Amino acid sequence: MQNPSIVLYSAKTAKLEDKPIPSLSPHDVLVRIAYIGVCGSDVHFWQHGGIGKPINPATGIVMGHEASGTIHSIGPAVTLVQPGDRVAIEPGTPCRFCTACKSGSYNLCRGMRFAAAPGPPDTQGTLAKYFRVPQDFVYRIPEAMGLDEAVLVEPLAVAVHAVRLGDVRAGETVVVVGGGTIGVLVASVARQFGAHRVVVCDVLEGKLGFVRGWVGCETFLVDGGVGGERNAMRLLREFGLEEEGVDTVGGRVDTVIEASGAASSVEMGIHVLRPGGKYVQTGVGKAKVEVPIVALSMKELMVRGCFRYGAGDYELAVGLMKKGLIDVKPLISSVTPFEDATSAWEKTANGEGIKNLIEGVRD
């Protein structure tokens, strides 16, 4: 095969196929993929055949968007990298011409071509031997950083973006709801931004045990049998964060970054915030959730959505790893051979590990 690729056609139906090696425009590079990460969206595609837009079952789509590799070849106008450079890949290419792009918010570009996204036109993903990307969307990594670690630059950039949106400042108290990959990375980035207290919440004690060992922050075990308001009351009481002198549920938390997408977690996050607090919705769960609108309004909260990553987020993520401020190696739970990629999706679907990787095609 010239370019072995894992193609998903519908839920639970994926095949190993040969694809053409992508041709290069003047400013493009061709990356020989080393590792591909498994994320929640991959699991959703595997289980349901798409998110929003379904995959065309006649053509299928090459999966994967978290990836690292080595520059194999370059277009004639490329000046930023050379063949042999080891890189992390930013998997979305914006149009560069719309209002969002020209204002610096290219992650909001409506013409974004994101890896493994159904079209039309479809955008093929990174779960292949070779992947084409513009030269300014690859980031060189230092020799001391493994290519397996470089896969984690993508989710770390999401965490950086979320913390920036939450305007986390030195001395603040931050609650992170969700102890998965994004949640633990958000907690670690918040610490680097100077947060005084960081509390990570999850329904699974196993995840919280990892958080305590890796981030070294406080944790809160969410009771899945009660609603968000009850859990908010418990959290505030347990950590001494109750707002005094009020007869409603209210706390002294400066920023909440929700990284699970669960409806009860959204409710809990809004209730624990102080008046004027900041809320960032990073997790994507059900399309519609009930929001405690009275509490949100009376506290005059700043509420932000969070979508992928924007200008400077990848550079900062690489910098945090390069300087050893965030060590992502302990997050890597398993590495699955390329041909068995679907088993890596199943591991993640079953809640096994923190970050499961797929190894690139071997020679």
Side-chain angles (χ1 to χ4, degrees), residues 50-87:
I51 299 176
K53 288 182 180 180
I55 294 172
N56 184 338
T59 58
I61 194 166
V62 177
M63 291 299 295
H65 65 272
E66 300 177 356
S68 66
T70 303
I71 301 295
H72 178 268
S73 55
I74 61 176
V78 170
T79 59
L80 299 178
V81 291
Q82 295 294 325
D85 285 348
R86 303 159 67 252
V87 296

Side-chain angles (χ1 to χ4, degrees), residues 16-320:
L16 172 62
E17 297 181 358
D18 195 12
K19 292 284 185 180
I21 296 176
S23 58
L24 299 181
S25 297
H27 294 278
D28 288 343
V29 301
L30 192 66
V31 181
R32 170 70 187 267
I33 299 297
Y35 293 94
I36 309 95
V38 179
C39 134
S41 63
D42 298 320
V43 172
H44 200 90
F45 269 77
W46 172 238
Q47 293 181 329
H48 304 287
I51 299 176
K53 288 182 180 180
I55 294 172
N56 184 338
T59 58
I61 194 166
V62 177
M63 291 299 295
H65 65 272
E66 300 177 356
S68 66
T70 303
I71 301 295
H72 178 268
S73 55
I74 61 176
V78 170
T79 59
L80 299 178
V81 291
Q82 295 294 325
D85 285 348
R86 303 159 67 252
V87 296
I89 299 171
E90 184 171 352
T93 305
C95 77
R96 304 177 190 267
F97 298 106
C98 68
T99 300
C101 286
K102 294 173 79 172
S103 67
S105 300
Y106 67 80
N107 59 311
L108 304 181
C109 172
R110 295 298 189 184
M112 174 73 76
R113 299 293 301 277
F114 198 80
D122 294 340
T123 306
Q124 302 306 314
T126 61
L127 198 49
K129 185 175 182 179
Y130 297 109
F131 183 73
R132 178 183 60 200
V133 61
Q135 64 169 328
D136 52 331
F137 282 82
V138 294
Y139 301 81
R140 284 184 294 185
I141 62 170
E143 287 300 319
M145 185 187 301
L147 282 166
D148 54 349
E149 296 170 85
V151 172
L152 275 294
V153 172
E154 198 272 353
L156 182 56
V158 174
V160 167
H161 191 60
V163 172
R164 280 178 155 175
L165 287 172
D167 191 25
V168 173
R169 302 182 182 185
E172 290 192 338
T173 295
V174 177
V175 167
V176 180
V177 188
T181 303
I182 299 299
V184 297
L185 289 171
V186 164
S188 190
V189 174
R191 292 284 292 270
Q192 292 300 321
F193 272 55
H196 174 61
R197 295 185 75 179
V198 178
V199 180
V200 176
C201 313
D202 202 275
V203 295
L204 299 176
E205 174 55 38
K207 288 187 176 181
L208 296 180
F210 177 84
V211 170
R212 288 191 293 271
W214 185 66
V215 185
C217 65
E218 299 170 286
T219 60
F220 175 74
L221 183 63
V222 175
D223 184 346
V226 302
E229 186 171 354
R230 288 275 301 277
N231 276 308
M233 294 171 63
R234 288 180 51 239
L235 185 152
L236 295 172
R237 186 168 53 248
E238 183 173 327
F239 294 99
L241 293 169
E242 296 158 298
E243 186 181 3
E244 299 177 359
V246 297
D247 56 3
T248 59
V249 179
R252 293 183 285 115
V253 174
D254 298 292
T255 304
V256 166
I257 300 178
E258 205 290 320
S260 75
S264 60
S265 298
V266 175
E267 181 183 9
M268 182 180 77
I270 288 172
H271 281 304
V272 300
L273 280 166
R274 62 169 173 80
K278 300 160 292 184
Y279 180 95
V280 179
Q281 185 62 45
T282 304
V284 179
K286 293 183 179 180
K288 297 180 180 179
V289 299
E290 293 185 5
V291 175
I293 196 71
V294 174
L296 185 153
S297 299
M298 291 182 66
K299 292 182 181 182
E300 206 168 85
L301 301 180
M302 184 190 76
V303 179
R304 299 291 301 268
C306 179
F307 190 56
R308 296 176 182 154
Y309 21 74
D313 295 330
Y314 251 76
E315 288 91 343
L316 181 52
V318 172
L320 289 170

